[in-house]
Amino acid sequence: MSFFAKSAPRSDTLEVLGETVTVVRKAQKNMYLSVRPDGTLRVTCPFSTDDGEIIRFVSSQADWLRKRKAAVDQRAKTAGLEYKDGDAVPLWGTFYPLAVRNARPYGVSVQDGTLVLNVPAGSTREERAALVESLYRAQFKAAVPPLLRRWQPVLGVAASGVTIRAMTTRWGSCNTRTGHVTLNLRLVEKDPRCLEYVVVHELCHLIVPDHSRAFWNCVARCVPDWRKIRALTNEAVKEPLDE
Ligand SMILES: [Zn+2]
């Protein structure tokens, strides 16, 4: 066998967790798993890796995979949105139809279950997206203080401040040294219980910094069904069913 034949990557597929995984064996030391932009899975690994090792590796990443796939799904959907009349936009766990009108005053509002965008004639996708984003921020900003007022006294802690930011890899974070909490703006697309769970999660970090049993006990005191809500947080928002 020539040198080139031996070191050329070899591509295969495997079924793991009900998914078809593209396996590329090549000259590398470690095994890596990724979710492609089209939602399919790909593993790259050393030539010597057998199928059993790959199946075990992919299975051990089930939680991570679910999260990545949901994020990829959601982004693909949102990235494909033109924000045109009749498009559906996620807000608090449900899809709202957009009504795009050439009317004043320019701006965005929620009216009878419809997101109304008043825009000048010839508005661009970016302008319409920015309006939806401003609604997201306003809705999110209004939703946080009642949650803090509800849960801070219960837990006996207080966040020193809250930042809302669109993030791609986490729903929230807590700086346990400064007490500052950061929340992912994308939670505005999810069921409101998801934001509540993340707020409680980050506040509990002010008591228990790690994810130990004591930490999850703290979360469970406030959100007994946190496992269910956490799963919901990591799922893509469901499309509305046709009536
Ligand atoms: Zn945490």
Side-chain angles (χ1 to χ4, degrees), residues 3-12 23-28 42-47:
F3 173 80
F4 292 104
K6 194 180 171 204
S7 54
R10 250 190 8 249
S11 192
D12 266 314
V23 175
V24 180
R25 288 183 172 85
K26 53 187 195 176
Q28 68 180 34
R42 183 173 190 261
V43 164
T44 64
C45 55
F47 281 112

Side-chain angles (χ1 to χ4, degrees), residues 7 12 22 102 104 161:
S7 54
D12 266 314
T22 302
N102 176 11
R104 288 177 188 270

Side-chain angles (χ1 to χ4, degrees), residues 170 172-173 197 201-202 205 209-211 215-216:
R170 53 213 305 201
S173 65
Y197 158 70
H201 182 120
E202 302 311 335
H205 276 315
D210 55 29
H211 290 124
F215 171 80
W216 291 113

